[in-house]
Amino acid sequence: MLGGVTFDYPRGLAGHSDGDVVAHALIDGLLGAANLGDIGSLFPSGDEQYRGASSLDLLWEAYREVREV
């Protein structure tokens, strides 16, 4: 998964969610700009509810968090 696009490749990214590094970078940018920490503070890797989660869904949730500030 890269930028919401799935690539069929035998080696994937290691991640708690789907590991989309483009979405993760955007989440970190949004949260950092709003002084809300980083992706790990909003979506902790130890929280099982985010295992395999869509990074685009996480991006949308981070956007909503920033809008509430």
Side-chain angles (χ1 to χ4, degrees), residues 11-45:
R11 297 174 69 190
L13 298 171
H16 190 67
S17 65
D18 63 12
D20 186 332
V21 296
V22 172
H24 287 211
L26 290 169
I27 293 168
D28 272 336
L30 280 172
L31 295 175
N35 198 27
L36 294 176
D38 63 11
I39 191 171
S41 61
L42 189 58
F43 309 110
S45 61

Side-chain angles (χ1 to χ4, degrees), residues 1-2 5-7 10-11 13 19 22 24-25 29-31 40 42 44 50-51 53 55-56 58 60 63 68-69:
M1 186 71 65
L2 190 58
V5 177
T6 302
F7 290 87
R11 297 174 69 190
L13 298 171
V22 172
H24 287 211
L30 280 172
L31 295 175
L42 189 58
Y50 301 117
R51 179 170 300 285
S55 294
L56 294 180
L58 300 180
W60 179 246
Y63 170 74
E68 289 179 9
V69 173

Side-chain angles (χ1 to χ4, degrees), residues 43-66:
F43 309 110
S45 61
D47 191 334
E48 287 301 309
Q49 74 176 343
Y50 301 117
R51 179 170 300 285
S54 163
S55 294
L56 294 180
D57 290 342
L58 300 180
L59 177 58
W60 179 246
E61 189 168 330
Y63 170 74
R64 285 194 305 254
E65 287 287 324
V66 169

